Amino acid sequence: MRKTARYASLAVSGLLALSSLTACANDAASSTSAGGSKGDGKGTKVKIMVGGLDKVIYMPAMLTQRLGYFDSEGLDVELLSEPAGVQAETALVSGQVQGAVGFYDHTLDLQTKGKAVESVVQFSHAPGEVEVVAAKKAGDVTSPKDFKGRKLGVTGLGSSTDFLTKYLAVKNGVNVSEFTPVAVGAGPTFIAALQQGSIDAGMTTDPTVATILDKKAGKILLDMRTPEGSQEALGGPYPSSSLYMQTDWVNGHKETVQKLANAFVRTLKWMSTHSASEIAAKMPADYSQGDKTLYAEAIKSTLPMFTKDGVMPANGPETVEKVLKAFNPNIKNAKVDLEKTYTTEFVEAAE
């Protein structure tokens, strides 16, 4: 019996001007093609926008390409990159790409705005996010209760890091109007903001976290890279990184979607049976930024967030809805049909 369920979200405070986003997508920070079926260049073409190709939380996208699994399914996949998941989502909704690799929570907010989008492969059952506090502020900010009056870094306004930051604040008695979210991206821009005092604390992922700790630029406040960390911070499993697509496109291209699911599930299984060092060795050399050991450590710290089969974790959608309803008036006052935010049809049939 096929299970289907779908979910929609637009984590943006109103869609950014599509013209500028189109320019962003077309000039994506990184772009690469998987090649055609059997190397003949005639595979089915699919464009996927990733909310940061070099982020460990989205590693299955590039790893699937590097392992040759897109090729073996007869797919010509072009991977594009934007610095934040919210931008990947907007590229999808505007029709620039057929798929997005980003957080599942975007599908809920999108649904309240009349957009039907669903997760077709669920990479994770934990956020993979870490709240870090600047070394100079570590004595003052010891929990989300201390967010009041602070400048808090997020990848982008309306991003999943923005969502989670707001939830942690509200959960700990701080109103969303009592702190300032600052869009600082990830990697060098996030680290510079932390070191220069542009932000007091912020939410980010590996390999940025590993670099911050290595530079002693900050300390971990909350760690949500494991299911246990997700349970403690959010009260349950939090499905995050996923491949999500517009429902109409999925229904009209089931054969292609099945091939994508086959490739990604094969990668998730491969990841579950290989070490962090072995995984790191498959990734592009520049992802390690000159420190292969540190990069492997970053992968090791984040590996617990990933599923082994691409299936949506039980009670995951409910946890996401609870988190978003805590601060997002669009969702709090709306009836979200969780059954339409994801589907397990393709991952359950994956070969």
Side-chain angles (χ1 to χ4, degrees):
M1 179 177 177
R2 288 178 173 176
K3 302 175 187 174
T4 56
R6 315 167 201 279
Y7 213 56
S9 123
L10 222 171
V12 212
S13 318
L15 273 172
L16 303 176
L18 286 182
S19 57
S20 63
L21 283 167
T22 302
C24 274
N26 291 342
D27 288 330
S30 175
S31 156
T32 182
S33 172
S37 173
K38 311 299 181 186
D40 62 6
K42 297 180 182 178
T44 301
K45 181 75 174 181
V46 181
K47 287 185 178 181
I48 298 176
M49 184 67 79
V50 184
L53 264 175
D54 58 351
K55 294 179 184 176
V56 178
I57 58 170
Y58 300 143
M59 184 170 60
M62 178 57 74
L63 184 57
T64 301
Q65 184 190 77
R66 302 283 287 189
L67 291 170
Y69 294 163
F70 290 137
D71 267 338
S72 65
E73 290 291 333
L75 297 171
D76 178 6
V77 175
E78 182 178 8
L79 298 175
L80 302 165
S81 184
E82 283 283 11
V86 64
Q87 293 161 326
E89 167 210 277
T90 307
L92 175 71
V93 172
S94 64
Q96 299 170 48
V97 296
Q98 288 76 53
V101 169
F103 269 37
Y104 162 71
D105 56 16
H106 289 293
T107 62
L108 278 72
D109 190 43
L110 278 168
Q111 190 182 107
T112 68
K113 294 178 171 66
K115 305 293 183 182
V117 176
E118 61 189 14
S119 164
V120 295
V121 183
Q122 195 57 49
F123 297 160
S124 61
H125 47 192
E129 301 283 353
V130 178
E131 183 72 23
V132 294
V133 57
K136 295 177 182 178
K137 300 290 183 178
D140 302 322
V141 182
T142 60
S143 85
K145 293 179 182 179
D146 301 320
F147 282 177
K148 187 174 181 178
R150 301 294 177 180
K151 294 174 291 185
L152 303 177
V154 297
T155 53
L157 300 182
S159 67
S160 296
T161 52
D162 191 16
F163 284 171
L164 289 171
T165 299
K166 288 175 178 174
Y167 174 73
L168 291 173
V170 171
K171 180 186 177 185
N172 287 276
V174 180
N175 192 285
V176 294
S177 64
E178 295 180 310
F179 68 89
T180 304
V182 183
V184 292
T189 55
F190 186 101
I191 296 169
L194 202 65
Q195 291 175 318
Q196 295 166 10
S198 301
I199 57 175
D200 301 307
M203 191 173 292
T204 191
T205 61
D206 277 309
T208 307
V209 176
T211 304
I212 289 169
L213 298 179
D214 185 58
K215 291 177 176 290
K216 295 182 171 53
K219 295 182 178 180
I220 292 177
L221 196 66
L222 281 172
D223 192 337
M224 296 178 284
R225 291 176 290 189
T226 65
E228 295 78 17
S230 177
Q231 179 71 42
E232 182 178 351
L234 307 173
Y238 197 91
S240 56
S241 306
S242 66
L243 170 68
Y244 61 88
M245 314 179 90
Q246 297 204 59
T247 300
D248 285 348
W249 199 91
V250 172
N251 291 338
H253 301 81
K254 289 200 170 188
E255 184 178 349
T256 299
V257 176
Q258 186 63 62
K259 289 178 178 179
L260 287 167
N262 292 346
F264 279 124
V265 170
R266 190 176 173 190
T267 296
L268 291 168
K269 289 178 179 177
W270 187 93
M271 287 168 58
S272 72
T273 58
H274 289 76
S275 70
S277 296
E278 290 172 321
I279 295 171
K282 290 290 185 180
M283 300 299 283
D286 61 335
Y287 282 21
S288 67
Q289 298 179 357
D291 194 330
K292 294 181 180 179
T293 301
L294 188 64
Y295 182 56
E297 281 299 314
I299 291 176
K300 184 178 180 180
S301 297
T302 305
L303 274 178
M305 74 174 280
F306 293 107
T307 67
K308 297 179 181 180
D309 54 13
V311 175
M312 177 65 71
N315 302 318
E318 289 79 6
T319 304
V320 173
E321 183 179 33
K322 178 198 72 174
V323 167
L324 297 182
K325 279 184 177 293
F327 66 87
N328 188 323
N330 292 333
I331 294 178
K332 186 175 183 178
N333 302 318
K335 171 62 178 175
V336 178
D337 187 349
L338 296 181
E339 290 294 307
K340 293 182 178 179
T341 60
Y342 69 95
T343 175
T344 60
E345 172 183 349
F346 302 98
V347 293
E348 289 181 346
E351 300 174 355

